[in-house]
Amino acid sequence: MKYRHFLIELIKKDFKFKYRRSKLGILWSLLNPLLMISVLSIVFSTLFARHIPNYTLFLLTGKLMFDFFSESTNTSMRSINGNASLIRKIYVPRYLFPLSKTIFSLINLFFTMIILFIIMLFSSITLSWSIVLFPLPILYLFVFAAGVGLLLSSYSVYFRDLNHLYSVVITAWMYLTPIIYPIEIIPDKYRWIVEANPLFYYISLFRDITLNGSTGRVGTHLICIGISLVTLIIGLFVFRKKQNNFILHL
């Protein structure tokens, strides 16, 4: 709370930087996923639409959640190195830099949710009261992304090649997550690989709440909460342990 104004200014700076000299500005947060989903739907609907009702919504819910995670962790990873000049001049808690990136990505996610709910209104989805619970899986994923962001930002100060390595990891991670395809097409002997993927549970829970009119299984909620808290605790521990030496490597 003491540094909340500084945190807000960091988030404002990100908005100004991302949309500077852009005539459409924040509308790109809506147009970008819409254009991408349109392309992916055209390409993959012929393969999976027969097996998945409302395939466009299935694809959109998975893509929005994964893109939030990808953007927040990528930007968090670069946050310490990117603010090196500021860190050398003044003292503020270092964790504010990766946290601001995760919050900025969360705000962008809520803007893109407008597209999801508009499409849902014009689809055959029957809206249930459980839809009010849609922020829960987003909250779980936010905590998980914050923990991963703290870990990545800690190590990227010492290993600059982590930026390039993570781009490969996040691409592979996307294809190992049932975003485009249903998990049912994975052979049983390989399904454990997908089920070991934390993002599988966040996206499945989000789809249950938004598309299936369900509150989600209690077990899935507990798995998401457990993964999120453990990751955040590890991220905070590692970040706190390494932050005093950041200045020597910036």
Side-chain angles (χ1 to χ4, degrees):
M1 292 302 294
K2 181 179 178 181
Y3 293 97
R4 65 187 182 279
H5 298 296
F6 180 76
L7 179 62
I8 292 170
E9 289 303 316
L10 287 176
I11 298 169
K12 286 181 179 178
K13 187 185 77 169
D14 285 337
F15 270 102
K16 292 176 183 177
F17 181 79
K18 184 172 183 177
Y19 299 112
R20 66 180 178 180
R21 299 180 183 177
S22 172
K23 293 183 179 180
L24 293 179
I26 204 167
L27 283 176
W28 279 115
S29 293
L30 305 179
L31 292 175
N32 189 48
L34 184 61
L35 293 172
M36 182 59 67
I37 291 300
S38 299
V39 173
L40 292 175
S41 294
I42 293 170
V43 174
F44 292 105
S45 60
T46 54
L47 293 175
F48 303 120
R50 288 178 296 176
H51 308 286
I52 304 174
N54 297 298
Y55 178 73
T56 299
L57 286 171
F58 174 88
L59 180 60
L60 184 58
T61 48
K63 196 75 171 66
L64 290 181
M65 293 287 275
F66 186 87
D67 284 352
F68 159 68
F69 176 77
S70 176
E71 180 190 31
S72 62
T73 52
N74 264 300
T75 53
S76 294
M77 177 173 56
R78 300 182 177 92
S79 61
I80 300 298
N81 291 323
N83 289 281
S85 58
L86 186 59
I87 291 173
R88 292 192 198 102
K89 293 176 183 177
I90 62 173
Y91 173 77
V92 289
R94 308 294 192 247
Y95 70 85
L96 291 177
F97 295 102
L99 180 61
S100 70
K101 302 297 184 182
T102 310
I103 295 175
F104 172 71
S105 297
L106 180 67
I107 295 171
N108 270 331
L109 174 62
F110 279 111
F111 279 119
T112 57
M113 285 291 166
I114 296 172
I115 295 292
L116 174 62
F117 288 116
I118 290 175
I119 295 177
M120 288 178 68
L121 288 174
F122 292 95
S123 69
S124 58
I125 292 288
T126 302
L127 295 179
S128 169
W129 67 269
S130 65
I131 195 72
V132 300
L133 300 177
F134 84 92
L136 283 180
I138 295 175
L139 175 62
Y140 302 153
L141 184 57
F142 171 80
V143 176
F144 177 64
V148 174
L150 287 168
L151 282 169
L152 291 172
S153 61
S154 300
Y155 287 109
S156 66
V157 175
Y158 303 94
F159 309 107
R160 301 299 174 96
D161 289 344
L162 185 60
N163 295 310
H164 305 290
L165 178 61
Y166 189 65
S167 65
V168 177
V169 170
I170 202 70
T171 301
W173 203 335
M174 185 186 75
Y175 289 110
L176 287 173
T177 306
I179 297 172
I180 297 172
Y181 57 86
I183 191 174
E184 288 76 18
I185 71 168
I186 306 295
D188 291 340
K189 62 180 178 179
Y190 297 119
R191 195 169 292 183
W192 67 269
I193 299 174
V194 176
E195 292 176 347
N197 176 1
L199 292 180
F200 165 70
Y201 298 99
Y202 298 110
I203 292 174
S204 296
L205 182 60
F206 186 67
R207 283 172 172 159
D208 281 342
I209 291 173
T210 55
L211 302 184
N212 300 332
S214 166
T215 59
R217 293 186 301 170
V218 174
T220 307
H221 281 276
L222 293 176
I223 289 171
C224 291
I225 292 171
I227 293 172
S228 297
L229 291 179
V230 169
T231 306
L232 181 63
I233 291 169
I234 294 172
L236 286 169
F237 175 78
V238 171
F239 192 89
R240 185 175 181 182
K241 186 176 180 180
K242 292 185 175 295
Q243 66 177 346
N244 292 334
N245 294 322
F246 285 169
I247 197 69
L248 301 176
H249 298 270
L250 294 175

